[in-house]
């Protein structure tokens, strides 16, 4: 697919310690929306149970900044609503629940096509970032629902681990660390995973990708090695399949 | 199915801070094996990548206590090996990888039948405990592989969350707490989940179930409430579907 029209903002999380909901990402969102003159955001609330409440939360954050927010779940024809949207925001929650719902509503191929070919602006946060990637294999969520497949929107050809977390070396807990889990994925699939710490995001414009936010990101390379990247790093090389 | 023959030990984890591999569970294992005069344990290593190494780790732990250990992966006919086994131990690792392999080898129904009808002694740890329950919906593991279904051995009719972990109230991380994840499962399925802290286990003999170890367990009830249970608590009521 032609991906020159791509206009994505993939957030690690919607919340960051010390900030209000989405507040840490305000400048990033404004920059993204300004580029396409977005005034109304179509919110995709399926990752949480209460769609009305979730949409109200997002509206309360974005409306004061000058954006109208509509909930996709209120639209009688979701496909048409997506085709007419200026931008979509896919919120976090449970990645399995979200992806299952997107498949059940038969929206996966449509969103993929609108974003990659028509340049529909896409904002994802946490689970909304997971489903934007190649697959949901690197979600942190509990598999409370079973989607038909773990393959996702593939708006980018690699995997992201949102809420990426360094190991707590003082912990006495014997569950696997985040690094161990991601390395396990890499060992089975030989595919790269970008660990996005809270407060960071990936901005994708066409074939360019840039790390935003004030913290490093950790790349788990397909050969099993890892590299830390500083803010504003160029990740365009990850977009080449 | 008749479940009067059931002889299970479902461990939260194989490792506990301050102890060697399986060491904290030695008395529990000896009690379990003595009941059926077990001398040789058939180890199921599929949750980790290196089956030989994993089997060697288990052998190094159990052999000094007087038990021989064989790896299921070394058997030319796994079905026959299971039918002839005195006891099986399904080790931890990745729950998705483990369940996928059990389905691929067509061992799910066989193990279920041998354990529930023939009284084959079953020890599970972590992922091996997850697959022993109704489904793997409440695993903590990253979904690095996709099994055909999340439904599992159903040796007990409820779910367990191994490595159950209380929320760290000092944390600034915005990912969901373990409780939030389990409560999400309960809200969608209205089914109970037993949170087993590291060092604890569930011993099942026929239609009786008892909490072993020195810490409480937390039960997430199907109505959304939670109850803490002390060591030696009777969980037989969870076995009634």
């Amino acid at each position: 697919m032609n991906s020159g029209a791509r206009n994505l903002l993939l957030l690690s999380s919607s919340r960051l310690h010390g900030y209000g909901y989405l507040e840490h990402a305000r400048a990033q969102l404004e920059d993204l929306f300004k580029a396409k003159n977005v005034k109304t955001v179509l919110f995709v609330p399926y990752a949480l149970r209460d769609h009305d409440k979730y949409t109200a939360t997002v509206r309360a954050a974005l409306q004061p900044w000058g954006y109208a927010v509509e909930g996709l779940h209120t639209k009688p024809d979701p496909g048409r609503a997506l085709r007419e949207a200026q931008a979509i925001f896919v919120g976090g929650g449970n990645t399995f629940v979200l992806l299952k719902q997107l498949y059940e509503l038969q929206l996966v191929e449509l969103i993929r096509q609108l974003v990659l070919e028509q340049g529909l602006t896409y904002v994802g946060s946490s689970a909304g970032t997971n489903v934007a990637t190649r697959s949901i294999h690197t979600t942190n969520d509990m598999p409370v629902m079973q989607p038909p497949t773990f393959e996702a929107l593939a708006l980018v050809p690699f995997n992201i681990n949102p809420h990426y977390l360094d190991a707590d070396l003082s912990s006495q807990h014997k569950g696997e660390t985040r690094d161990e889990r991601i390395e396990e994925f890499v060992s089975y699939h030989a595919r790269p995973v970008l660990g996005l710490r809270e407060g960071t995001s990936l901005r994708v414009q066409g074939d360019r990708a840039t790390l935003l936010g004030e913290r490093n990101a950790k790349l788990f390379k397909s050969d099993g090695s890892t590299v830390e990247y500083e803010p504003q790093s160029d990740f365009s090389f990850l977009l080449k399949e």
Side-chain angles (χ1 to χ4, degrees), chain A:
Chain A
M1 262 188 204
N2 168 30
S3 53
R6 211 161 24 184
N7 190 42
L8 321 178
L9 181 64
L10 304 179
L11 300 159
S12 172
S13 64
S14 55
R15 294 186 190 275
L16 178 65
H17 181 74
Y19 292 83
Y21 184 77
L22 287 176
E23 192 183 9
H24 72 281
R26 178 173 175 175
Q28 297 173 18
L29 288 164
E30 288 178 339
D31 181 61
L32 179 85
F33 291 153
K34 200 163 51 186
K36 296 281 180 110
N37 200 28
V38 170
K39 300 292 182 193
T40 300
V41 176
L42 184 61
F43 181 61
V44 181
Y46 302 133
L48 288 184
R49 285 199 87 185
D50 189 333
H51 302 161
D52 285 337
K53 185 179 165 192
Y54 198 7
T55 304
T57 299
V58 174
R59 185 176 291 124
L62 295 188
Q63 200 161 268
W65 303 342
Y67 305 103
V69 174
E70 300 183 338
L72 181 57
H73 66 294
T74 67
K75 303 292 184 182
D77 183 344
R80 181 175 168 181
L82 285 163
R83 281 188 293 271
E84 294 175 351
Q86 299 177 0
I88 62 173
F89 174 27
V90 183
N94 188 286
T95 307
F96 296 89
V97 173
L98 171 60
L99 189 62
K100 183 170 196 274
Q101 187 71 0
L102 292 179
Y103 275 112
E104 280 183 0
L105 295 173
Q106 298 186 290
L107 299 179
V108 172
E109 274 310 310
L110 176 63
I111 293 174
R112 182 169 154 76
Q113 183 205 325
L114 290 172
V115 172
L116 292 185
E117 297 185 356
Q118 310 298 320
L120 174 63
T121 294
Y122 183 104
V123 182
S125 173
S126 191
T129 287
N130 275 127
V131 300
T133 71
R134 181 163 176 162
S135 74
I136 66 164
H137 282 101
T138 54
T139 177
N140 309 306
D141 295 338
M142 193 171 267
V144 302
M145 288 284 190
Q146 185 177 1
T149 168
F150 291 173
E151 301 304 307
L153 292 167
L155 306 182
V156 296
F158 54 93
N159 281 68
I160 288 177
N161 179 248
H163 298 274
Y164 172 72
L165 190 67
D166 296 279
D168 174 2
L169 299 177
S170 71
S171 174
Q172 299 185 347
H173 189 69
K174 295 296 185 183
E176 288 87 350
T177 65
R178 185 69 59 84
D179 278 24
E180 287 169 343
R181 297 176 191 281
I182 296 172
E183 285 162 2
E184 190 172 40
F185 169 81
V186 173
S187 78
Y188 282 111
H189 297 273
R191 280 160 36 186
V193 181
L194 182 61
L196 286 180
R197 293 180 174 89
E198 291 183 353
T200 68
S201 57
L202 193 71
R203 176 81 165 94
V204 182
Q205 297 165 278
D207 291 323
R208 281 191 301 132
T210 311
L211 176 64
L212 303 184
E214 295 172 8
R215 301 170 75 188
N216 286 0
K218 185 166 179 174
L219 180 64
F220 295 78
K221 296 171 71 174
S222 55
D223 66 2
S225 64
T226 62
V227 188
E228 288 278 345
Y229 285 86
E230 296 189 342
Q232 297 297 325
S233 286
D234 183 350
F235 278 120
S236 304
F237 65 91
L238 285 177
L239 297 175
K240 299 188 179 78
E241 278 189 270

